[in-house]
Amino acid sequence: MAILKVKNSPLAQAFLMGVALCLPLPAAAEEFVTPKGVVELFTSQGCRSCPPADRAFETMVRQGDVVALSYHVDYWNYLGWADTLAKSENTKRQYAYAKAFGRSGVYTPQAVVNGIDHLKGTDAGEINSRMEKLSAGGRGLVVPVKANRQNDQLSISIGKGTGKAEVVVVYFRQRQTVEMMKGENVGQKLDYWHSVTDLQTVGMWDGSPLDITLPAKVMGSDDSDGCAILLQSVDEEGNPAAIMGAAMLVPKSAEL
């Protein structure tokens, strides 16, 4: 049986009991990335406005200093092409953000920055500008988060700070190429980067330093080959809110 080790947080220990997290590659094939911000793109293969945003998102990935996560949603599937990467959980996350932002609906392509700001996701320069403004205003990634994988263990280290937040692990696929055979983007063949495959809340942080050790399991080549750790607060209704810290592990074999 896998053993979970949690320091300084009984509540986190309760969350982690029985949880088995997965990482795809040996430790030597992964590298730790220290980010300047988190960008979550909500996109769809069935949305005619999304390809420019997907290309801008690739620019963000290639920068190497951003935790960039792409969530394919399913509400445009009725237009004639079912997004091959879409998940209902991604749609639910976007609607939860909409509630947190006080919006009545959702849109694509939407880029959410640090969990607290949003804009149309087609302009990488403007997205970078938003991250810089948030950081300058003290609303950036203010809590240090580190992660590494050694053999069969994933270790997460979160520093000291103020407030409370969930520790969230987001799994993604580094790169996939899809040709749309129907729908509004018929005939286009696009590369999709950091497409989210799963999201798990694995613990709670109360402002005190927190170390979490999780069992790692090798995943198949058709699933995830990278992961991000988000230290994310929630609002009074449980909707996702400010991301206070983040880290990312990506395969070195996929370096850009």
Side-chain angles (χ1 to χ4, degrees), residues 153-175:
Q153 291 186 329
L154 168 65
S155 298
I156 300 171
S157 179
I158 302 172
K160 184 178 180 180
T162 302
K164 296 181 179 180
E166 296 180 348
V167 181
V168 181
V169 179
V170 186
Y171 296 101
F172 58 83
R173 186 68 178 165
Q174 178 79 1
R175 180 181 182 181

Side-chain angles (χ1 to χ4, degrees), residues 102-122:
R103 296 179 56 87
S104 60
V106 295
Y107 65 94
T108 54
Q110 181 188 37
V112 175
V113 182
N114 290 357
I116 53 178
D117 195 7
H118 69 96
L119 68 158
K120 188 175 180 180
T122 53

Side-chain angles (χ1 to χ4, degrees), residues 4 10 31 68-69 80 85 94 129 137 157 183 212 231 236:
L4 306 180
E31 67 170 348
L69 301 168
L85 306 178
Q94 189 182 22
S129 179
S157 179
I212 301 174
L231 183 65
E236 294 180 354

Side-chain angles (χ1 to χ4, degrees), residues 35-38 65 113-114 116-117 127-143 243-244:
K36 69 176 183 180
V38 178
D65 60 355
V113 182
N114 290 357
I116 53 178
D117 195 7
I127 295 172
N128 270 303
S129 179
R130 294 288 182 95
M131 280 190 289
E132 291 165 3
K133 289 179 180 178
L134 289 173
S135 181
R139 304 175 73 193
L141 305 183
V142 296
V143 179
I243 296 173
M244 306 164 68

Side-chain angles (χ1 to χ4, degrees), residues 40 42 71 73 75 88-107 110 112 115-116 118 166 199 232-242:
E40 298 174 276
F42 292 91
Y71 297 81
V73 298
Y75 50 79
S88 59
E89 293 82 4
N90 296 344
T91 300
K92 291 177 182 177
R93 183 167 176 83
Q94 189 182 22
Y95 271 96
Y97 268 129
K99 291 180 180 178
F101 295 147
R103 296 179 56 87
S104 60
V106 295
Y107 65 94
Q110 181 188 37
V112 175
I116 53 178
H118 69 96
E166 296 180 348
L199 183 152
Q232 184 162 34
S233 61
V234 297
D235 66 15
E236 294 180 354
E237 297 180 0
N239 298 310

